[in-house]
Amino acid sequence: MGEHIHEPRPHDQRPQPARRDRLIQEHVHDPYKRAAKLSDPTVCPQCGAVYHHGRWSWGLPAVDAAKELCQACHRVNDRYPAGTVTLSGGFLGSHRDEILAAVHHQERLEKDEHPLHRIIGIEHRDGDMVVTTTDVHLPRRIGEALHHAYAGDLDLHYDKDAYYVRVAWRRD
């Protein structure tokens, strides 16, 4: 007895173009982004962020929550930033504390809603201030806030091949 496989006939007999969406390529590669979803719920043992319903947030973890380091803590531990903000110019020198407070304020606003968006470090180099971050959104937010508050020159550069942004703000 031979096998008979019934193949349904499509209603539309016109030739269909080849599908090219079978393997979706990630446009920008982030080495810290997980390929698989985490157990739900999961808590980061370092910062306390909770992964629940597919996203990280702040809150109390369930008693039985799995423990896994979040991407932001991973980046902080490795000191591997996703963004850099370079602040420079004479205005920075005479308003350093005020600008530093504005930088920290923007981090608090962003981090309240997005626990993975944090400052890794702030360094002072040859009169400049260099802020490194765990994501690409916080640097833009810092740069735009300083530009809005103090004017000056703002330059944003997103690396098209990597998960990285460079922001430069300068006021003489």
Side-chain angles (χ1 to χ4, degrees):
M1 250 186 173
E3 278 187 29
H4 178 56
I5 300 174
H6 180 266
E7 294 182 352
R9 288 182 80 194
H11 297 294
D12 187 355
Q13 297 294 320
R14 291 177 287 166
Q16 299 296 315
R19 294 205 40 190
R20 301 206 189 287
D21 62 349
R22 301 273 185 225
L23 292 174
I24 298 172
Q25 297 295 319
E26 186 178 1
H27 178 68
V28 175
H29 176 68
D30 179 3
Y32 287 84
K33 186 174 181 180
R34 293 189 178 19
K37 285 195 173 194
L38 294 170
S39 299
D40 198 334
T42 296
V43 64
C44 176
Q46 188 168 321
C47 70
V50 178
Y51 180 84
H52 187 56
H53 295 303
R55 74 181 297 262
W56 288 94
S57 60
W58 299 113
L60 295 175
V63 176
D64 61 343
K67 291 181 178 30
E68 183 81 31
L69 204 60
C70 72
Q71 298 97 298
C73 287
H74 221 150
R75 280 187 181 277
V76 169
N77 293 345
D78 292 350
R79 300 203 49 81
Y80 191 87
T84 303
V85 184
T86 303
L87 310 173
S88 61
F91 186 82
L92 172 67
S94 59
H95 294 84
R96 185 171 303 275
D97 292 342
E98 186 180 333
I99 290 171
L100 189 57
V103 167
H104 284 297
H105 178 69
Q106 291 306 313
E107 180 197 27
R108 275 190 305 278
L109 292 174
E110 186 74 14
K111 192 168 78 171
D112 282 350
E113 183 69 25
H114 305 284
L116 303 184
H117 300 184
R118 303 183 208 151
I119 290 175
I120 294 174
I122 299 175
E123 296 179 26
H124 301 277
R125 299 181 196 158
D126 300 324
D128 293 350
M129 186 183 305
V130 179
V131 181
T132 53
T133 69
T134 60
D135 75 294
V136 297
H137 304 287
L138 181 55
R140 178 194 50 78
R141 183 175 183 144
I142 291 169
E144 288 177 351
L146 293 175
H147 187 265
H148 178 75
Y150 305 110
D153 297 318
L154 178 63
D155 182 44
L156 302 161
H157 176 73
Y158 289 89
D159 188 329
K160 67 178 184 169
D161 297 322
Y163 186 77
Y164 193 80
V165 63
R166 272 184 292 291
V167 176
W169 176 81
R170 177 178 190 81
R171 180 170 169 196
D172 291 318

